[in-house]
Amino acid sequence: MEAAALSIQTYFLQYFKGLTVSTSATPSSIINYSATDSMLRMRLYYRERSITFIQKFVGFNLINPELQFNQVTIDRTNTILSTFQKNTEIFAAQLGHASYVQSATGIFTKITFLTLPDLLQIKKTGKILKVQLIIKPLAGSFNKVYRLPTDLNLFTTDKNNLLGSALAENSSTGTIQNGNLTIDNLYGENTSYTCDITTSLQKLITLNPNLGNGFLLYPPTTGSTNIFNRLIIGDNTTGTSKVQVKIFFLAVD
């Protein structure tokens, strides 16, 4: 090895291409770490000869965090999703009466309201004050290993399943709703996400429900490709572990 390859950074990078961090041939874990110059470094240990050998090391900080490559591969063989094509809508009844959210593997849940025009009947005799969307994970689907997403955003969407605008917590500040996750540590039955969909639902009422308009459950877009937490939701056949809409309205006689 020429001395320049060790003393000049440009030459050293041509000699030393980098390192790969991976699991075994049958992986059973996910590695997650921050690739920044302050959080990731390589150490080269060596011994210096003196009266005795003295162990020393030299540290190499990450020079450019963008010079990295991460890959997530998905194998759905022998799973309930194995027979379905990518980029397609799948009804919960076809998935064992459940739906899934895991952003890193490209699985999201879409919620539509086919009976939404019926709310127009309420508006004729009163006023809708507030509408909450309550999402309860399927009982037994989460624990300390299979964790729930800490935040869950709602995005408007259409028949093409394109991300629209995120539902805001406060229209004046534009703060995005995070789902307000509540954990029932005792029984797990009341663990849920709650979102205020009053304004968005008012807009959807006047649209044709057959156009496929609705909401996409989506973890925060920042870092969504490396979030492996999952959410499993039951449909209307799975007892309490399902999606509910709670409507508060003022009735006028």
Side-chain angles (χ1 to χ4, degrees):
M1 182 190 305
E2 296 182 3
L6 295 176
S7 59
I8 301 175
Q9 179 174 291
T10 302
Y11 293 157
F12 180 73
L13 292 177
Q14 293 176 358
Y15 168 76
F16 185 76
K17 303 298 183 180
L19 297 172
T20 297
V21 180
S22 63
T23 59
S24 63
T26 55
S28 58
S29 63
I30 297 173
I31 302 172
N32 187 9
Y33 51 86
S34 298
T36 64
D37 56 1
S38 61
M39 299 292 291
L40 182 64
R41 60 176 59 92
M42 180 182 71
R43 279 186 176 180
L44 175 64
Y45 289 89
Y46 64 96
R47 292 191 302 174
E48 185 177 274
R49 177 177 293 180
S50 182
I51 298 176
T52 59
F53 284 104
I54 302 174
Q55 181 170 298
K56 293 186 176 182
F57 66 85
V58 59
F60 298 85
N61 290 341
L62 190 65
I63 299 173
N64 188 344
E66 295 184 1
L67 295 179
Q68 58 168 303
F69 173 73
N70 301 285
Q71 183 180 24
V72 176
T73 58
I74 304 167
D75 183 5
R76 297 192 174 116
T77 305
N78 298 323
T79 71
I80 198 169
L81 295 170
S82 61
T83 60
F84 297 99
Q85 299 295 320
K86 295 181 179 179
N87 303 318
T88 57
E89 288 188 12
I90 309 168
F91 291 103
Q94 298 174 273
L95 298 175
H97 298 282
S99 60
Y100 305 84
V101 178
Q102 189 176 56
S103 59
T105 57
I107 303 175
F108 307 99
T109 290
K110 180 179 181 179
I111 300 175
T112 56
F113 305 87
L114 297 181
T115 59
L116 197 57
D118 293 345
L119 292 180
L120 292 173
Q121 302 303 318
I122 296 178
K123 299 186 70 175
K124 292 179 181 179
T125 58
K127 180 180 180 180
I128 297 175
L129 302 177
K130 185 177 183 179
V131 184
Q132 289 182 329
L133 182 68
I134 301 173
I135 302 163
K136 293 188 176 182
L138 195 65
S141 66
F142 59 96
N143 50 41
K144 293 183 179 180
V145 176
Y146 298 104
R147 299 176 181 272
L148 295 171
T150 55
D151 294 329
L152 192 64
N153 298 155
L154 276 181
F155 285 81
T156 58
T157 189
D158 56 16
K159 65 180 180 180
N160 297 314
N161 302 322
L162 298 176
L163 278 182
S165 57
L167 272 63
E169 186 80 38
N170 188 310
S171 57
S172 60
T173 62
T175 304
I176 303 302
Q177 295 192 54
N178 62 9
N180 298 309
L181 175 60
T182 300
I183 301 291
D184 179 1
N185 291 312
L186 185 58
Y187 300 109
E189 296 178 356
N190 293 316
T191 296
S192 64
Y193 300 87
T194 303
C195 296
D196 188 326
I197 60 172
T198 309
T199 303
S200 299
L201 204 68
Q202 294 279 17
K203 295 178 181 178
L204 286 178
I205 288 176
T206 58
L207 300 177
N208 186 340
N210 295 320
L211 294 178
N213 296 293
F215 301 115
L216 276 180
L217 299 183
Y218 205 108
T221 53
T222 302
S224 62
T225 56
N226 56 20
I227 296 176
F228 291 89
N229 295 3
R230 72 177 192 183
L231 171 63
I232 304 178
I233 311 165
D235 65 5
N236 59 357
T237 68
T238 54
T240 59
S241 303
K242 56 186 177 182
V243 177
Q244 299 173 319
V245 177
K246 185 178 292 186
I247 303 173
F248 302 85
F249 64 95
L250 176 66
V252 179
D253 292 333

